[in-house]
Amino acid sequence: MFGDFQLEDIAKKRIVVAMSGGVDSSVVAALAAKSGAEVIGVTLQLYDHGAAVGRTGSCCAGQDIRDARAVADRLGIAHYVFDYESQFRDSVIADFADEYAAGRTPIPCVRCNQGVKFTDLFGIARDLGADCLATGHYVRRVMGADGPELHRAIDPARDQSYFLFATTDDQLAYLRFPLGGMEKAAVRAIATEYGLGVAAKPDSQDICFVPDGDYAKIVRKLRPEAAEPGEIVDLEGQVLGQHKGLIHFTVGQRRGIEIGGSPEPLYVVRLDPAERRLIVGPRRALAVRAAMLDDCNWIGPRGDGPVTAKVRSLAKPVPARIEGDAVVFEQPEYGVAPGQAAVLYRGDRVLGGGWIRETVAAEALAA
């Protein structure tokens, strides 16, 4: 049941489990305890105690920490809580606000995995003498000819590989993902079997530090200039109206553009924070042929052959090719936003990816 650990003589091994207080990480802890290894649960407190008390629907909040501790007690394993509020605020929340202020669309979950979870938590696990770090992410770690590979989860509805594209080879060698080959219903069944109080706990929704979904409020508080009003213009620069702050918009968005008299629906094509301008146009103006990437990360050798690219967490991977620091789509792709990630796959294997710096319009290449 816990073969994902791939450790010899597992009874003599030590496993650190990242416990967020949800059902997924709690089941990982239960399976680890069943394996016979010494198990230590670790929870990172990402909010101050006062703000976290009673908070639900997120992760690493007050009630979640209590739930993680209760699960550890139920399983008879050690459990430690580490205060990482300041690191999370500086590396994730501040970056989130900066990205929106710069007219980009951030993915804080990737930044959190890159920093607090897969850097700081790694350090904690190694300091505790652990042989591996196990998490509740829905991805698979598969041993290939050149070492461990990152693959999509069996359940496409739960797959989280998009958020883990920045995982390094060294990190992947240390990580274990026991839930990647399971469906959610099976995970909840295991939680019920072990009598875990979180068996029916709802999944966390939206961004963990924006439980009410009002991300603009967070950005406005940290970067008030991003909430300043400005002009809505068409592709030729003609003023069509006024907006109430660029923080309310992202590339590909249609809702909230309150302009009457247009012969066809208008979408956000670009954001110009320097001039506080929102550039809008018809859907065809969203067609993108290529995306230029920054800070690319590759997991193992890329090899040759066709690839697919995913440019949003909920998008389907589409045929593409890699050309230097760019991903070129076989067919025009829509809603490609700077600040998001382009993640590359070969079959179910995650090759890696990078952050979208800018896009090349399909019309520009056609010209």
Side-chain angles (χ1 to χ4, degrees):
M1 187 64 178
F2 217 63
D4 184 72
F5 277 101
Q6 298 173 339
L7 296 173
E8 296 179 0
D9 196 8
I10 200 166
K12 297 181 180 179
K13 300 299 182 180
R14 178 176 294 171
I15 301 169
V16 164
V17 178
M19 298 182 68
S20 66
V23 63
D24 295 326
S25 61
S26 296
V27 167
V28 170
L31 294 174
K34 183 181 179 181
S35 74
E38 179 189 358
V39 180
I40 301 173
V42 170
T43 300
L44 302 182
Q45 179 177 315
L46 303 181
Y47 309 93
D48 67 84
H49 179 74
V53 170
R55 185 172 178 172
T56 59
S58 57
C59 70
C60 306
Q63 183 58 50
D64 301 303
I65 292 173
R66 289 193 290 274
D67 288 342
R69 182 175 292 115
V71 168
D73 289 343
R74 171 75 178 177
L75 298 173
I77 64 173
H79 178 250
Y80 300 104
V81 179
F82 293 87
D83 182 0
Y84 269 72
E85 180 198 354
S86 61
Q87 291 92 324
F88 185 76
R89 182 180 61 245
D90 295 342
S91 64
V92 178
I93 299 179
D95 176 81
F96 177 82
D98 288 340
E99 287 288 279
Y100 264 111
R104 295 187 290 268
T105 305
I107 318 175
C109 293
V110 177
R111 294 297 187 191
C112 185
N113 287 330
Q114 277 185 305
V116 174
K117 288 184 179 175
F118 283 5
T119 299
D120 297 324
L121 189 52
F122 265 65
I124 292 172
R126 288 196 166 103
D127 287 344
L128 290 172
D131 294 283
C132 65
L133 170 66
T135 81
H137 289 100
Y138 283 84
V139 292
R140 290 179 295 144
R141 178 182 179 275
V142 177
M143 290 303 297
D146 297 301
E149 301 172 351
L150 188 65
H151 286 238
R152 287 192 185 98
I154 292 295
D155 184 352
R158 304 297 306 176
D159 176 56
Q160 294 174 300
S161 60
Y162 179 83
F163 300 103
L164 298 180
F165 82 90
T167 304
T168 66
D169 290 329
D170 287 343
Q171 289 171 345
L172 188 58
Y174 193 60
L175 282 163
R176 300 295 185 273
F177 306 109
L179 306 188
M182 304 172 63
E183 295 185 348
K184 185 72 176 197
V187 172
R188 290 198 181 276
I190 293 172
T192 300
E193 176 188 346
Y194 279 84
L196 305 184
V198 296
K201 185 176 181 177
D203 293 334
S204 58
Q205 300 294 325
D206 301 314
I207 300 169
C208 69
F209 56 88
V210 194
D212 60 359
D214 188 2
Y215 67 85
K217 179 173 64 178
I218 299 290
V219 180
R220 189 183 302 112
K221 179 180 178 180
L222 297 176
R223 305 291 182 268
E225 68 277 8
E228 295 178 359
E231 297 174 335
I232 301 175
V233 303
D234 63 17
L235 298 175
E236 285 70 44
Q238 179 180 348
V239 178
L240 304 178
Q242 298 287 316
H243 65 77
K244 297 180 180 180
L246 293 180
I247 58 174
H248 300 289
F249 300 94
T250 186
V251 171
Q253 182 175 324
R254 179 181 174 187
R255 179 178 53 84
I257 304 174
E258 300 172 357
I259 298 174
S262 175
E264 55 187 324
L266 296 175
Y267 299 80
V268 176
V269 177
R270 292 191 308 279
L271 292 87
D272 182 354
E275 299 295 332
R276 299 204 305 276
R277 280 187 158 192
L278 186 70
I279 298 93
V280 300
R283 185 175 184 275
R284 61 180 177 275
L286 291 172
V288 167
R289 180 63 75 180
M292 310 302 294
L293 307 181
D294 280 336
D295 299 326
C296 291
N297 176 69
W298 304 110
I299 306 172
R302 279 189 284 171
D304 299 320
V307 302
T308 57
K310 190 173 184 177
V311 294
R312 296 178 304 282
S313 62
L314 297 179
K316 292 183 178 180
V318 298
R321 65 182 185 274
I322 305 168
E323 294 185 359
D325 65 347
V327 54
V328 181
F329 308 106
E330 294 299 325
Q331 298 294 327
E333 183 70 358
Y334 291 80
V336 185
Q340 294 276 286
V343 180
L344 287 303
Y345 298 83
R346 180 166 292 120
D348 281 339
R349 183 189 160 207
V350 183
L351 300 178
W355 298 97
I356 299 172
R357 178 178 72 248
E358 58 182 321
T359 60
V360 179
E363 293 180 354
L365 287 183

